[in-house]
Amino acid sequence: MLRRSVLAGGLGALVVAGLPDEASASPADPVERLLKGLTLEQKVGQMFVGYVYGDSATAPAAPDAAANTARYGVATAAEVIARHHLGGVIYFTWSHNLGGGPAQIAALSNGLQAAASADTGIPLQISTDQEGGIVTRIGAPLAVSPGNMAVGATFDPAAALRAARISGQELRELGINVVDAPVVDVNTNPRNAADGPRSFGDRTAQVSLLAAAAVAGYRSAGIGAQAKHFPGLGDTTVNTDNGVAVTDETRAQILATHVPPFQAAIAAGVPSIMAAHIVAPALDPSGAPASLSRPIVTGLLRERLHFDGVVITDALDAAALAAIPPAQIVLDAIAAGIDQLLMPADPPLAIRAVLDAVAAGTLAEARIDQSVRRILRMKRALGLFDGADAPASPVVGTPEHLQAMSAIAARSITKLRGAGLPLPAGARVLVTGWGVGTTQTLTDALNARGVTATRLWTGSPSPAVIAQAVAAAQAADATVVTTNNVWSDPTQVALVQALAATGRPVTAAAVGGPYDIAYLPPTPAFLAAYGYQPVSLLALADALTGRAGTPGRLPVTIRTPDGATVLYPFGSGD
């Protein structure tokens, strides 16, 4: 077994510039005592955050056991922790971690923590992407936030703090101790496929204010926040999960527009920052993705912004990194100054690459210690060493929490045109457009509010489906058509155009970013809901039927598709 002594015999002189003098650390420091008690394999394992399959730590169903075996060489999540000493696990629905309700999730968390305790005695970081809005891993019965741009439309830092605090408190009930949120990117590109409504808005000062409030909310809940995606994905059109994203902005533009929200998050005490895979030549002429760039991670984030917390990569199995050999990815990330390596494509290979580099003398064990020290300090600061299990019967979705999220959603609904609203009681209303669940939830909500709503889901409609929708609209008193990112889907535009041409009352409701209005033909009414979680759709139904107003204001500027003309300025709304 490779142990910490691997650097002895001549390799001990290998150092990495900028590392603290380990000898100067106080022997009474509990983190230092923990660090010195770990083997090299255990320390390297602390740097990896991976996903595991199954809803149980020790007894996954057959498909999940086979998936764990294929990925890690062992069948259960507990065995994954024991074999590879993972420092963190991230939960997903598709890996079957989150399908059984709060009690199941809490039991899974407790089982994973028991496995970590038996292995290293170091608590496990357990996280999930519970941003709210369009990125929500765990739905009802939890109280789900309407999402960042909806919060941005309230223009209220207290709403950002409240939503984060509630979400954080409920995640802690499930044994989740780190939330992969908030997104603090400034959404300057209306066609942004990475952020859009995941961002608080397109103004640096506003995003900074709300980012700091969200971090404070998570902190007050006792959960670790993770500001993302450094140095900012707001200017790109490409989601790095799907391809290479490049920003052509100058260094001055990036520093003035996209970096300040991260500074605000740091000032608010954020313990972790996620480095994006975006390529920013103005910050690193080599063309390395930010997550693998020493000038960006160490030069900008560490040295210029003075952040000494944990820096984690975005998912290392992203398409943005597909052209780089997997072993090189993890070693370049560590060389850049990264502490945690999220979701490598082949975890055993990635871990072995780090161990082999230490054995070969190309990576100093002191550099590993530097990252593990930060990870342990964060875990200690979050109280993970206190050892409390998640409760067997988690308390989530309380009336108070649900009402608070509903109130935020109600304050977010933004009306940019309003002819024909509210819908009169008893009106025959066609609900059509984007989203199977979205149109069904909205239809049910409208029926519960006194109109007679019928549903025709169209998705990305064919001409035949558009003709069907037109016929249904002509037979109705009014139509509500939901849209989402129509700039990337001309069939949605064709649907709204055909509905508008009937001359019947039509309300377009954007359930993603509000930018859809710039690409659609004029409809008598247009509302922005900023998301399609039930909490937002119920608020939208209240606004459509006049049960509630539309107090939200645009947290972004909406321009013509060519960007030349402002259609709706920042702050527009009733």
Side-chain angles (χ1 to χ4, degrees), residues 365-540:
E365 187 172 359
R367 171 65 190 88
I368 303 299
D369 289 350
Q370 183 187 43
S371 286
V372 177
R373 188 176 287 113
R374 291 193 186 102
I375 294 165
L376 295 178
R377 285 175 178 165
M378 180 180 75
K379 290 181 175 182
R380 188 165 182 263
L382 292 175
L384 305 192
F385 286 93
D386 295 345
D389 282 348
S393 299
V395 178
V396 297
T398 65
E400 177 189 2
H401 285 181
L402 292 171
Q403 175 55 37
M405 294 300 197
S406 294
I408 294 169
R411 293 171 60 194
S412 75
I413 303 298
T414 305
K415 182 167 68 179
L416 298 180
R417 289 198 297 264
L421 295 179
L423 299 171
R428 296 168 302 160
V429 178
L430 170 67
V431 177
T432 189
W434 181 91
V436 178
T438 295
T439 51
Q440 186 63 63
T441 300
L442 185 57
T443 300
D444 293 343
L446 289 174
N447 280 320
R449 286 157 177 76
V451 302
T452 303
T454 57
R455 169 183 173 269
L456 174 63
W457 171 68
T458 61
S460 296
S462 66
V465 171
I466 291 175
Q468 186 181 2
V470 166
Q474 289 171 329
D477 297 319
T479 295
V480 177
V481 55
T482 57
T483 68
N484 188 11
N485 289 355
V486 300
W487 44 265
S488 65
D489 184 0
T491 66
Q492 290 189 62
V493 178
L495 171 66
V496 176
Q497 188 172 25
L499 293 171
T502 65
R504 308 292 291 168
V506 175
T507 298
V511 295
Y515 306 102
D516 287 1
I517 195 170
Y519 300 86
L520 295 174
T523 55
F526 182 95
L527 301 181
Y530 306 101
Y532 44 78
Q533 289 298 323
V535 68
S536 291
L537 298 176
L538 297 181
L540 176 61

Side-chain angles (χ1 to χ4, degrees), residues 45-61:
Q46 283 295 308
M47 298 178 68
F48 284 85
V49 178
Y51 58 86
V52 292
Y53 290 92
D55 59 4
S56 165
T58 57

Side-chain angles (χ1 to χ4, degrees), residues 293-332:
S293 167
R294 186 167 181 83
I296 294 175
V297 175
T298 295
L300 179 55
L301 182 55
R302 296 288 193 204
E303 296 174 355
R304 178 164 178 153
L305 303 188
H306 306 293
F307 181 65
D308 195 36
V310 171
V311 181
I312 186 171
T313 66
D314 205 340
L316 295 179
D317 60 359
L321 305 181
I324 306 173
Q328 183 183 336
I329 289 173
V330 296
L331 296 177
D332 286 355

Side-chain angles (χ1 to χ4, degrees), residues 23-218:
S24 67
S26 168
D29 185 339
V31 167
E32 293 302 322
R33 292 200 304 271
L34 286 168
L35 185 63
K36 291 182 183 299
L38 297 176
T39 67
L40 177 63
E41 292 95 330
Q42 290 170 335
K43 289 190 290 187
V44 169
Q46 283 295 308
M47 298 178 68
F48 284 85
V49 178
Y51 58 86
V52 292
Y53 290 92
D55 59 4
S56 165
T58 57
D64 295 322
N68 282 327
T69 300
R71 186 165 180 79
Y72 292 105
V74 289
T76 72
E79 290 171 323
V80 171
I81 302 302
R83 173 171 291 193
H84 300 291
H85 320 297
L86 295 187
V89 165
I90 181 169
Y91 286 166
F92 290 100
T93 303
W94 51 259
S95 58
H96 304 154
N97 303 141
L98 304 173
Q104 171 265 312
I105 299 169
L108 174 61
S109 298
N110 291 341
L112 293 175
Q113 291 292 5
S117 178
D119 176 38
T120 61
I122 307 297
L124 196 66
Q125 173 181 312
I126 301 177
S127 65
T128 196
D129 295 289
Q130 189 80 351
E131 298 172 12
I134 68 170
V135 178
T136 297
R137 304 301 185 205
I138 314 171
L142 271 66
V144 174
S145 167
N148 278 4
M149 195 166 281
V151 170
T154 72
F155 280 70
D156 185 5
L161 188 148
R162 180 73 168 143
R165 177 187 293 157
I166 290 170
S167 185
Q169 288 171 340
E170 297 200 345
L171 290 176
R172 281 302 299 262
E173 285 285 302
L174 307 181
I176 296 169
N177 46 52
V178 169
V179 59
D180 300 311
V183 171
V184 303
D185 301 334
V186 182
N187 197 70
T188 54
N189 191 327
R191 297 191 181 201
N192 192 331
D195 287 331
R198 297 171 68 194
S199 166
F200 287 114
D202 69 2
R203 297 291 178 93
T204 299
Q206 177 83 343
V207 173
S208 297
L209 185 67
L210 297 174
V215 169
Y218 289 124

